[in-house]
């Protein structure tokens, strides 16, 4: 039997003027996680939302909040995101000097921890920390915006991470569609973020279409 895949719609592509309703709608459409892109206009050239928004939408669903921090020095805010209702907190390896310390800060907050790599970041940075992680988030576009084109070298990167640790959860983020998801599944990824693909169509049809690729 094939491994289950997890679909994590990114609310970056949702209608922010009715965020609570959007979250309920993707929950009803069969999402597994809610992916939240926190951007600080510094680590990435875009600014989105942070702790107060996450706190305010926590009541709309029981699904896990998969919080992707694209912020400089995330160690300053880990406890705040944990208290706001995050279930998984992912930090970028490029955003903190003390990656090991920040990983353990997340673990000590009682939440699952992920580390994300930009497209140009080699997997070597994972070598001494991968056993401490719940998940690796591979950026398949340069972080900052939805609707970008999938970067092909992601496939090789997924395979390289599998070689480091075969049972690690691998999440792919950026340019995921019913076409690009297939090669990522074949390479060994099991969690898929999709923003523009899901939110530009019927939510349940699009989520089902992504799942069907794995049947
Ligand atoms: C980009 C974000 C993604 C984004 C993906 O920095 O991390 O989660 O929402 O959007 P799509 O699926 O449209 O590429
Ligand atoms: Zn993301």
């Amino acid at each position: 039997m094939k491994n289950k895949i997890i679909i994590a719609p990114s609310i970056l592509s949702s209608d922010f003027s009715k965020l609570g309703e959007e979250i309920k709608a993707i929950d009803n459409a069969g999402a597994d996680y809610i992916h939240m892109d926190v951007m600080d206009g510094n680590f990435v050239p875009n600014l989105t939302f942070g702790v107060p928004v996450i706190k305010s939408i926590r009541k709309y669903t029981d699904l896990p909040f998969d919080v992707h921090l694209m912020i400089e020095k995330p160690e300053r805010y880990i406890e705040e995101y944990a208290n706001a209702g995050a279930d998984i907190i992912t930090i970028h390896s490029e955003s903190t000097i003390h990656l090991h310390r920040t990983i353990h800060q997340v673990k000590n907050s009682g939440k699952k921890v992920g580390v994300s790599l930009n497209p140009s970041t080699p997997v070597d940075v994972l070598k001494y920390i991968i056993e401490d992680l719940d998940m690796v988030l591979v950026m398949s576009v340069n972080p900052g915006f939805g609707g970008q084109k999938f970067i092909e070298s992601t496939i090789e990167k997924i395979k390289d991470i599998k070689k480091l640790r075969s049972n690690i959860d691998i999440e792919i983020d950026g340019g995921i569609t019913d076409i690009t998801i297939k090669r990522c599944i074949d390479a060994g990824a099991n969690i898929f973020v999709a923003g523009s693909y899901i939110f530009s169509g019927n939510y349940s049809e699009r989520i089902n279409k992504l799942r069907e690729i794995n049947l």
Side-chain angles (χ1 to χ4, degrees), residues 179-196:
I179 309 292
T180 55
I181 195 173
K182 170 92 175 80
R183 276 167 295 138
C184 297
I185 294 172
D186 291 345
N190 63 317
I191 307 177
F192 299 93
V193 177
S196 49

Side-chain angles (χ1 to χ4, degrees), residues 10-13 35 37 39 44 68 70 139 141-148 173-176 193-197:
S10 163
I11 58 168
L12 184 61
S13 294
H35 185 82
D37 291 304
M39 304 186 188
V44 287
H68 178 191
M70 287 162 273
M139 286 309 303
V141 298
N142 285 293
F145 304 95
Q148 302 181 78
D173 186 2
I176 289 297
V193 177
S196 49
Y197 177 75

Side-chain angles (χ1 to χ4, degrees), residues 6 33 66 87-91 102-116 126 129-137 161-162 165-171 190-191:
I6 289 172
Y33 292 171
D66 174 27
D87 296 284
I88 306 164
I89 299 178
T90 295
I91 51 180
T102 311
I103 289 166
H104 285 272
Q105 208 182 332
V106 176
K107 290 171 88 83
N108 291 337
S109 76
K111 306 301 175 181
K112 289 193 171 173
V113 61
V115 164
S116 183
L126 299 171
I129 52 160
I130 199 160
E131 296 300 331
D132 297 342
L133 302 181
D134 295 293
M135 178 176 97
V136 175
L137 192 172
I161 294 167
K162 277 267 155 196
R165 185 176 154 195
S166 62
N167 67 348
I168 187 83
D169 280 340
I170 301 181
E171 179 174 52
N190 63 317
I191 307 177

Side-chain angles (χ1 to χ4, degrees), residues 151-163:
I151 296 172
E152 285 301 323
S153 57
T154 304
I155 302 299
E156 193 185 339
K157 193 180 257 187
I158 297 168
K159 292 179 185 164
D160 287 344
I161 294 167
K162 277 267 155 196
K163 279 183 218 153

